Amino acid sequence: MSELLNFNYPPEPAVERVTLFADVILPLPLPKLYTYRIPFEMNDEVLVGARVIVQFGSKRVLSCIVADIHEQAPADYQAKYILDVLDDTPIVTAPQLKLFKWIADYYMCTLGEVINAALPSALKLSSESRIQLHPQFNPEEDDIPLSTQEIKIIYALQQNQQLTFTDVGNVLQVKSYHKYIKSLIQKEAIIIFEQVSDKFSPKVVKKVRLSEHFVQEEGMLEELFEQLTPKPKQLDILLNYLQQVPVHQDVHLNYKGLEKSVLSNNPHLSKSSLDSLIKKGVLEQFDQIVSRFPVDDSPRLLPMTLSEHQLQAKDEILGLFKEKDTVLLHGVTGSGKTEVYIDLIKHALEGGGQVLYLLPEIALTAQIVTRLMKVFGEKLGVYHSKFSDNERAEVWQGVLSGRFQVVVGVRSAVFLPFHNLSLIIVDEEHEASYKQYDPAPRYNARETALMMAHLQGAKTLLGSATPAIETYYNCQTGRWGLVSMTKRFGEAQLPDVELINTREEQHRKNMHSHFSGKLLTAIEERLHRHEQVILFQNRRGYAPFIACDECSWIPKCRNCAVSLSYHKFSSELRCHYCGYHERMPSDCPACGATTLKSMGFGTEKIEDELKLMLPKAEVQRMDLDTTKKKNSYQQIIADFENGKTNILVGTQMVTKGLDFENVSLVGILNADSIIHFPDFRAHERAFQLFVQVSGRAGRKGKPGTVFIQTRDPMQAIFRKVKSVDYEALYAHEIEERMRFAYPPFVRMIRVTVKHADERTSENAAIVLAKDLTDRLGKQQVLGPEIPYIFRIRNLFLNEIHIKLPRENVNLRQAKGQIAQAIQQLYLLPDFKGIKVVADVDPM
């Protein structure tokens, strides 16, 4: 035994303390990643793609994403320690991090700006300034003079340990309390810190169930009935519960229970009796975490049988996917592209992959989701800005866990954490809505989706009746595949397009406000036949501006170089650029006259006038003003689908992919304002808008007609629209763009210089343009020039356009030169407060 005790065991190997560092993406516009030291005890907890809490600067506490872990300490500063780890597993995947880095590089922004745009707010952390007593401050011993108000704060801190700034205001019962906080900081009586809390919270519902012994023990339920017989209100609640949760058939049903609101909101049941049963222990109350996206238990429907043309298109797409990663489905409006999409999604899911279905507008998701939900059920997730923060966070987590295999969303859905993506569908790929303008990152979701597919080895299907010129060019040059659908689904025919010369109509006195007599007569005929009408006007509000009939005064925005638009419903004048608004004046502020007149017309005025001209018609409007609430789109579209609405008036929202089988007439009220726009894409966009909105007419075998009101019906663009001749449009546009060096033959970057002083903005733009010319060459730099809207949000704008040939130019190097030129401008003392924005591939 003693020999055993004296045996020399080999020493245990010493644990090597490896010092690790993490490069993190802070949610700030910083050019570089910041490095933090990982505490030894957290070495196994900190993961790439997970969130951690760090201190940045002397006071700020932030959450950030870990981008890399290594053993290299920063050379230029002492690395601070990571304070805490928030996630056990990464919430950002490796393919996402690669995509975010590409976005930051390609669109000339920072990773922090990308993370800010990508993460739902509920997955970010909120920090609120709080105060607590200084650890070295002792109010009993320290001889520091304090005012009455300061003593109140100290006493409150002794009671509560910490207070928010709002709490201090409530304690003192004054609005101006910051001076007392500042004074206590100077006296070193308190310190400020940031309390960080995770915003995401799961949805919890209160439920009730029978206490277990009433279900498990034989005879207990009968005994309970006898006890409650003298108390009929409590007995009613028990009977109602058993009716909806039949535990006598299956005792396991009791485990799930019943939502308490089902009983408490029943007008025939007593809430106090329900509370009494809970208090007595007959019913037990519990919380259950539930999904914000309830599962649709209705039977799943198979996708409709594809027609011969749809089946041929699907087979051609799958065939091309064997050779090419990207295919364009060029199908006329009403050709049934959505059914082809659904069949391809089903095919992708059978292979075990995930699918992203992108749409340009939230309005489209309302109709598409209803169709997809009937096919894919609980596998389907929806992602757009009308959802709450928690709803978007739940979709994010659902994609991460694999719960949602198909996601339908607008442009921000490209940021979701897919890890097994096999197919991306970009519907209406030509739409400018896929481009983010402000704030950074100024990305295009179509281009981002293509890179996303490349990084994950997925295929991309672009769909449109009127593809972007750049997209069609890629198909014509063989880079992408092309599949065409030239016939409408079923018996439907393309609508007849008729031009109405409003100049002649006015001469004949046949214009009724903004409606030609011919259009009004056609509307009345459709209403008489119980058919529906869509009217398109690409301007919201009642009128673009108002003017005094006596002195010609026009109200302008205080912050922007635009006139204020009149919104009659709210009796307001509004700026559509910065949101400034003011009450509609009763008389002219300049001359005092009461002859203020609205000039031009918007969707609100059309709606108003139609209700007067056609009092029996049900008119609804769909624009930014009527769709601000979460479910506004769904309600407007549902009312139109169900026939409650006869006439739908709208902006571009009504042009994009909506499918209404009873629409036989479409009216475009002011075509000229769309065509005559100072942009090289003006004719392309006009054709797309006219063809897309025309495509809403004449579905399901019902003949359709389109009336286009214009002062110049001889314009060449109308001939192409009438014959839906996209090839003719493409041939003309591609020739023009080659001649004048526009995309797809060059890459464009628009650099906008902004400053509160007009002269400073102009001078800075001149200096920057010269520097860019020296770096890139005279042929590549155009401007500076003053844009059409030269002041927005009190900042004067000057624009420089850069054209970079696609051949023989290193794009990364050129962007680096642009970034350096902008940085040099910031360093010049004459241009303090200047702001420069680079927009890659502006739309």
Side-chain angles (χ1 to χ4, degrees), residues 76 144 290 299 306 371 489 541 552 580 608 682 748 752 769 796 808:
D76 301 321
I144 299 174
V290 297
L306 299 184
R371 296 168 70 177
F489 181 78
S552 300
Y580 170 78
D608 221 29
M748 292 191 66
T752 305
F796 290 90
N808 303 320

Side-chain angles (χ1 to χ4, degrees), residues 817-838:
Q817 294 284 351
I818 295 168
Q820 287 175 23
I822 293 171
Q823 193 60 38
Q824 286 298 315
L825 186 73
Y826 284 144
L827 297 176
L828 296 177
D830 291 343
F831 302 130
K832 287 184 179 179
I834 205 80
K835 184 178 181 182
V836 183
V837 170

Side-chain angles (χ1 to χ4, degrees), residues 50-86:
R51 293 173 301 166
V52 294
I53 297 177
V54 299
Q55 182 180 354
F56 185 71
S58 59
K59 295 181 180 179
R60 302 175 77 176
V61 175
L62 302 166
S63 69
C64 52
I65 299 293
V66 177
D68 192 21
I69 297 173
H70 52 82
E71 297 181 27
Q72 186 66 45
D76 301 321
Y77 54 91
Q78 183 73 33
K80 296 177 182 177
Y81 280 99
I82 286 174
L83 301 179
D84 204 354
V85 180
L86 289 172

Side-chain angles (χ1 to χ4, degrees), residues 127-176:
S127 58
E128 185 180 12
S129 294
R130 293 174 178 252
I131 62 171
Q132 68 179 36
L133 289 175
H134 195 291
Q136 296 177 356
F137 174 69
N138 188 331
E140 306 296 330
E141 298 178 4
D142 289 0
D143 189 21
I144 299 174
L146 300 174
S147 69
T148 305
Q149 302 285 39
E150 290 169 351
I151 291 171
K152 287 182 180 179
I153 296 172
I154 296 297
Y155 179 77
L157 285 170
Q158 288 175 318
Q159 303 298 314
N160 300 284
Q161 294 188 335
Q162 58 179 256
L163 296 173
T164 65
F165 279 22
T166 306
D167 293 335
V168 174
N170 293 333
V171 167
L172 301 182
Q173 295 293 302
V174 295
K175 291 183 179 180
S176 180

